[in-house]
Amino acid sequence: MTMLFLLLVVPVVILAVKPIEMLASAGLVLPLLWRRSRPVFSAGLVAAVSVLQIIFYVIPVPAQVAVLIILYALAAHAPRWASLGGLAVASVGCFAGLLRYSADFGISPFEVSASLPLFAIVAVLVEALVLLCWAFGDLARNRRLTLQALEDRTRRLEVERQQERDLAAADERSHIALEMHDIVAHSLSVIITQADGARYASAQDHTVAPATLGTIAETGRSSLREMRRLLGVLRGDEETSTRPLPALADIAALIETVQHAGLSTTYAVTGTNR
């Protein structure tokens, strides 16, 4: 990028005839190297060279276009105050330059009254060009800020989606942990109750033990199936059943299981479902 810039700048500097013009050209174009990284500093150098040109009456050179370039860079990359300040300085400076060098181009408003309309036209065109360069830079600045805002919004949305996924995963883990606790607690309660009941009842009736052991085995197998189902959900197995937690409609099956364990259980329903 720097080599391309130098290839464009060197011919402009060489076009200057006098050494003072070459020096002015170099002073105008070299600060453009920092027009993006340090736009305020670069604009200050260009403004200083332009003011010295007016003071010491150095004829405008082709490199004077650097004023428009640095004005665009100020509007696009510098803070707002520097952008507006650069527009004001460039407008005043260009008008002062027209007044300073108008006699050399035959459009001085102070020599011939007929030259005043032509001077006014040239002044309007120059100021319009200055304003146009600033407007293009300001549009580029607004576009860059808009893109940055969209990128920031996209990052925030991605973070929010990740947080929602994490919360959903945490909720699912809590749901599965609660279901596993219910399965284990219920199964162990039935198994312990059956074992204690069989131990005491077998002393009176030896035929109770086989039936009780069958109930314990069936309860263990049922619990094992439920545990396998939940572990399959955790592994992401698509073939694993994902039936919901037991609801009120499953109370009858639960009561039947408890009754098979030999416990006296009553179940009553009051009212009707709507």
Side-chain angles (χ1 to χ4, degrees):
M1 194 67 178
T2 303
M3 291 299 298
L4 179 61
F5 177 79
L6 292 177
L7 289 176
L8 296 175
V9 164
V10 171
V12 174
V13 176
I14 294 177
L15 287 176
V17 179
K18 300 178 182 179
I20 188 64
E21 294 177 1
M22 294 182 63
L23 184 62
S25 298
L28 287 170
V29 297
L30 289 180
L32 296 181
L33 289 171
W34 303 284
R35 67 188 184 280
R36 292 185 178 180
S37 58
R38 302 177 65 184
V40 177
F41 172 75
S42 180
L45 293 179
V46 173
V49 173
S50 300
V51 170
L52 291 175
Q53 279 184 269
I54 296 175
I55 294 175
F56 294 102
Y57 201 76
V58 179
I59 298 299
V61 292
Q64 219 73 46
V65 71
V67 174
L68 301 178
I69 297 175
I70 200 64
L71 182 61
Y72 174 91
L74 274 177
H77 305 290
R80 194 65 175 174
W81 63 268
S83 172
L84 296 175
L87 175 62
V89 171
S91 300
V92 174
C94 288
F95 186 78
L98 283 176
L99 291 176
R100 181 68 164 165
Y101 303 108
S102 59
D104 297 331
F105 298 99
I107 58 173
S108 175
F110 304 109
E111 295 181 357
V112 183
S113 59
S115 299
L116 183 57
L118 181 58
F119 176 82
I121 293 174
V122 174
V124 169
L125 291 177
V126 170
E127 296 297 340
L129 182 60
V130 169
L131 183 60
L132 185 63
C133 290
W134 180 87
F136 279 138
D138 194 60
L139 287 175
R141 171 194 179 89
N142 291 334
R143 181 175 180 274
R144 187 182 71 255
L145 293 178
T146 301
L147 291 177
Q148 291 177 353
L150 290 176
E151 291 175 356
D152 293 340
R153 181 182 179 185
T154 301
R155 284 194 293 268
R156 288 196 300 270
L157 290 176
E158 183 61 28
V159 171
E160 291 176 359
R161 283 195 292 267
Q162 183 61 41
Q163 291 177 346
E164 291 176 356
R165 288 193 292 266
D166 293 341
L167 290 175
D171 182 69
E172 185 64 21
R173 286 194 296 269
S174 177
H175 179 83
I176 293 174
L178 178 61
E179 187 172 354
M180 291 181 68
H181 173 269
D182 292 342
I183 293 172
V184 173
H186 168 70
S187 300
L188 289 179
S189 298
V190 172
I191 291 172
I192 292 172
T193 303
Q194 288 283 338
D196 289 341
R199 185 180 60 183
Y200 294 115
S202 61
Q204 304 294 330
D205 187 359
H206 296 287
T207 61
V208 175
T212 304
L213 292 175
T215 303
I216 293 175
E218 180 60 30
T219 302
R221 282 191 292 269
S222 176
S223 300
L224 184 59
R225 286 194 299 268
E226 293 295 324
M227 293 292 291
R228 286 176 177 173
R229 180 180 67 83
L230 292 178
L231 292 177
V233 173
L234 291 176
R235 288 194 300 265
D237 189 357
E238 297 181 355
E239 297 181 356
T240 303
S241 174
T242 55
R243 67 177 180 82
L245 285 171
L248 292 177
D250 300 310
I251 293 180
L254 178 62
I255 295 298
E256 183 179 356
T257 302
V258 175
Q259 289 176 345
H260 281 311
L263 299 177
S264 176
T265 306
T266 58
Y267 173 53
V269 178
T270 304
T272 58
N273 293 330
R274 293 184 181 180

